[in-house]
Amino acid sequence: MKQITAMIKPFKLDEVREALGELDVNGLTITEVKGFGRQKGHTELYRGAEYVVDFLPKIRIDIVVPATRCDEVIEAIMRAAQTGKIGDGKIFVTPVEQVIRIRTGETGLAAL
């Protein structure tokens, strides 16, 4: 099993969720986060004063899928989240050793 963590722009969340729904991916966690990458934030003008926005709002999506489905899920996220502009985000893939459903005690793929 693999955990896919995607950092995307907030306005792309609905498109990504729809793309994952088409793949019948059930079970994901969404978190509102702030951060920066290479762009290191940006400056904005507010009431005539310029200030630096260090951390940009992002959405973090966490999904655990069977290893065999990892590539298709990544591709769907990339297609849906891409704008072609700086700050589109990143996708991280990490191995998952074990999953346990607390309610039933199921483990492994059955717990997904």
Side-chain angles (χ1 to χ4, degrees):
M1 291 174 285
K2 302 284 185 178
Q3 178 173 334
I4 300 170
T5 301
M7 304 292 187
I8 64 169
K9 291 184 175 185
F11 67 89
K12 286 295 200 171
L13 176 58
D14 287 337
E15 291 175 50
V16 171
R17 192 174 64 192
E18 288 174 16
L20 293 172
E22 289 173 8
L23 290 179
D24 201 29
V25 171
N26 46 13
L28 56 99
T29 302
I30 306 292
T31 312
E32 292 181 15
V33 295
K34 291 184 179 188
F36 67 88
R38 287 186 183 163
Q39 77 267 34
K40 306 259 193 285
H42 64 278
T43 58
E44 287 188 6
L45 216 59
Y46 180 72
R47 294 188 176 183
E50 189 174 285
Y51 65 98
V52 176
V53 178
D54 290 328
F55 298 104
L56 302 172
K58 298 286 183 183
I59 296 291
R60 176 181 170 151
I61 302 171
D62 290 300
I63 311 163
V64 177
V65 296
T68 56
R69 300 203 61 207
C70 190
D71 290 338
E72 69 178 327
V73 171
I74 291 170
E75 184 62 36
I77 294 170
M78 286 178 59
R79 270 195 323 270
Q82 190 174 45
T83 67
K85 296 184 176 146
I86 192 164
D88 273 353
K90 296 241 184 337
I91 298 174
F92 304 96
V93 180
T94 53
V96 174
E97 290 185 28
Q98 188 173 7
V99 176
I100 303 162
R101 185 179 310 236
I102 294 172
R103 180 177 55 88
T104 62
E106 293 171 298
T107 61
L109 292 176
L112 291 180

